[in-house]
Amino acid sequence: KEIARVFDQANASIFVLDPRGVGTLRPKNQVKGHEYMDALCGVEENIAYNAFLVGRSLFGMRVADVLSAIMNLRTDLKPAKVAVIGRRDAGLVAAFAAALDPTIDRVAVEEMPLSYWPLFEVEAEPFNAASIVPNLLRDFGDIPDVLAVIAPRKVFTAGSKGKLPRKVENVVEHPNLFNLEPNGLLKWVNG
């Protein structure tokens, strides 16, 4: 709410996008008492795994939804600049969308994992299957490689999960979350 207030005061428009399976488009099915990351009981996980089984990527579909929404926004409103901002899994969607669409001017992500490699550690934390990109590590690289593709545009990361395995020149890291410094986020978007 604080971020929306700060942007509103600055006359900056915010559009909240709900790609498939998120927000108002999220299925209402729920199994109480089970883990969110559980492949059998977690609704989002189940949708992601079912997509994998039919040769689709829920993550890829979400990126396509964001790119479509941005194209429609540009056609209808003709904004001077477009920034994509995402938190956690939505941060990954925002970053991949910016890597694919060079007309996105700014990218800001919060609490986004900075590498997929920790998923392979012995003490790995659960990870949302809906944010896995099939064959990315094998065929392209890791998240830092995706962020590097966004260059020369800068990527602002706030309160990231983990560390970048290598320096990425166009990434500006910040330890605090957006809601702790919404004016800083606005300054970055307008930068």
Side-chain angles (χ1 to χ4, degrees):
K1 289 181 181 180
E2 184 62 16
I3 291 171
R5 186 189 65 73
V6 166
F7 275 63
D8 188 49
Q9 284 179 337
N11 258 353
S13 298
I14 295 177
F15 296 90
V16 177
L17 305 177
D18 286 339
R20 66 191 86 196
V22 177
T24 58
L25 301 175
R26 184 176 174 86
K28 304 292 184 239
N29 304 341
Q30 185 177 2
V31 179
K32 298 214 184 277
H34 288 86
E35 290 291 320
Y36 169 73
M37 302 292 184
D38 187 315
L40 298 176
C41 301
V43 173
E44 174 137 323
E45 296 298 304
N46 196 281
I47 293 170
Y49 285 118
N50 285 328
F52 289 148
L53 289 173
V54 296
R56 300 280 186 202
S57 163
L58 180 58
F59 182 82
M61 290 187 277
R62 287 178 174 170
V63 171
D65 290 346
V66 169
L67 293 174
S68 177
I70 289 171
M71 184 178 67
N72 290 337
L73 176 73
R74 285 193 183 284
T75 301
D76 295 344
L77 301 177
K78 298 176 182 31
K81 282 196 245 183
V82 172
V84 289
I85 302 167
R87 182 172 179 254
R88 297 182 182 157
D89 296 334
L92 286 167
V93 171
F96 278 72
L100 292 170
D101 183 349
T103 68
I104 294 172
D105 301 287
R106 291 287 181 159
V107 183
V109 296
E110 180 180 73
E111 294 185 289
M112 183 183 88
L114 296 177
S115 176
Y116 283 118
W117 285 113
L119 298 176
F120 300 100
E121 293 176 1
V122 174
E123 300 293 325
E125 292 183 21
F127 191 80
N128 185 353
S131 292
I132 293 175
V133 181
N135 304 321
L136 180 76
L137 292 172
R138 184 191 73 196
D139 297 343
F140 181 78
D142 196 8
I143 294 170
D145 300 297
V146 173
L147 299 177
V149 168
I150 298 170
R153 298 163 292 152
K154 300 281 188 194
V155 178
F156 182 69
T157 67
S160 299
K161 291 185 175 186
K163 300 272 184 214
L164 282 170
R166 63 178 173 80
K167 179 142 179 69
V168 181
E169 293 299 322
N170 63 317
V171 173
V172 176
E173 295 183 82
H174 194 274
N176 293 337
L177 303 178
F178 296 152
N179 62 347
L180 298 177
E181 297 179 20
N183 287 313
L185 176 61
L186 177 64
K187 183 178 176 184
W188 170 260
V189 168
N190 285 333

